[in-house]
Amino acid sequence: MLRQGELAAIVSDAPDQLRPKRRDLLAHQRVLHEAGAGGVVLPMRFGSASGDDDTVTRVLAERAEHFLERLQALDGTAEYNIKANHDEEAVLRLIMADHDDIRSLAEANREAGGGTQEEKIRLGEMIAAAVQAREATDAQLLQQAFQPMAEAVSAGPQSTGWLANVSFLVDRGSAERFLVAVDEFREEHPHLELRVNGPLPPYSFVDTPSSQQAEGGTAEAFGAAAAQPDG
């Protein structure tokens, strides 16, 4: 552990060629959870690297005001990440029910034995546009449903297969109520498939620019880089 004023960084040596093996990722998670059990931490992603100890302590000194503010803000909280996508059959039924033009064209094509190639293409384009619009609406609906229960919200990077990827910073005392609300939301919107991951260290709310992390080197701070108040 490297100390600088009121802050400390949990570090470990790392090999020159650091690769994210499962056992290393799990070890990183275990250290973060154990450190977090004793007090608030600012978690760093696995693989965060610094050239040497002096670089780490220099960053702690230079960013002390920011780190201390974040530690105070994140004390007593946890991150819950929610990813959502559509149940394809369920959302298609909703689209047919909500769009008269799509339903009419589908019925006309069916009565015509499938319709012409042009009509099939047109129907496919209309359905695709309606699904895309529904994805945007449902992503906004999900965020609005849980935002009032969170201290902060962070939209994550979108990935194939997910219409929403949102992290919520939740007070640990309200976590059970938050999870109950997720279950209720799932029941109210059966066309949505939700994956909830948490409680997690508040990765999405550290708000430390990557430019503040040391580049290259043989990686101090790979195992469980975190900042925490001294004592």
Side-chain angles (χ1 to χ4, degrees), residues 67-213:
F67 289 147
L68 290 170
E69 182 279 326
R70 286 285 80 203
L71 286 164
Q72 183 177 3
L74 298 176
D75 193 12
T77 65
E79 177 173 336
Y80 285 84
N81 175 261
I82 300 179
K83 292 182 173 67
N85 60 13
H86 278 152
D87 178 302
E88 293 184 5
E89 293 185 3
V91 79
L92 184 58
R93 288 194 296 270
L94 287 176
I95 287 172
M96 289 296 179
D98 294 342
H99 294 77
D100 293 340
D101 54 344
I102 294 178
R103 186 173 62 254
S104 296
L105 180 56
E107 291 174 352
N109 283 358
R110 186 163 51 250
E111 291 173 358
T116 65
Q117 184 65 20
E118 182 179 345
E119 289 169 335
K120 291 178 181 177
I121 292 174
R122 182 183 169 213
L123 178 60
E125 290 174 344
M126 291 171 67
I127 291 175
V131 168
Q132 187 175 16
R134 185 79 195 208
E135 288 179 347
T137 297
D138 285 336
Q140 185 177 21
L141 179 67
L142 184 148
Q143 182 163 329
Q144 290 176 343
F146 304 119
Q147 187 165 347
M149 305 176 66
E151 303 290 326
V153 179
S154 176
Q158 299 303 307
S159 59
T160 302
W162 302 109
L163 64 89
N165 176 13
V166 188
S167 288
F168 298 89
L169 185 66
V170 179
D171 186 283
R172 288 185 181 274
S174 303
E176 185 175 351
R177 184 167 63 91
F178 180 84
L179 293 174
V180 169
V182 172
D183 288 338
E184 292 174 348
F185 183 89
R186 185 184 279 116
E187 291 179 3
E188 293 170 1
H189 305 281
H191 69 289
L192 287 174
E193 297 177 346
L194 304 184
R195 189 178 80 179
V196 183
N197 194 10
L200 301 168
Y203 289 107
S204 302
F205 304 95
V206 172
D207 191 28
T208 302
S210 59
S211 59
Q212 296 297 327
Q213 300 175 12

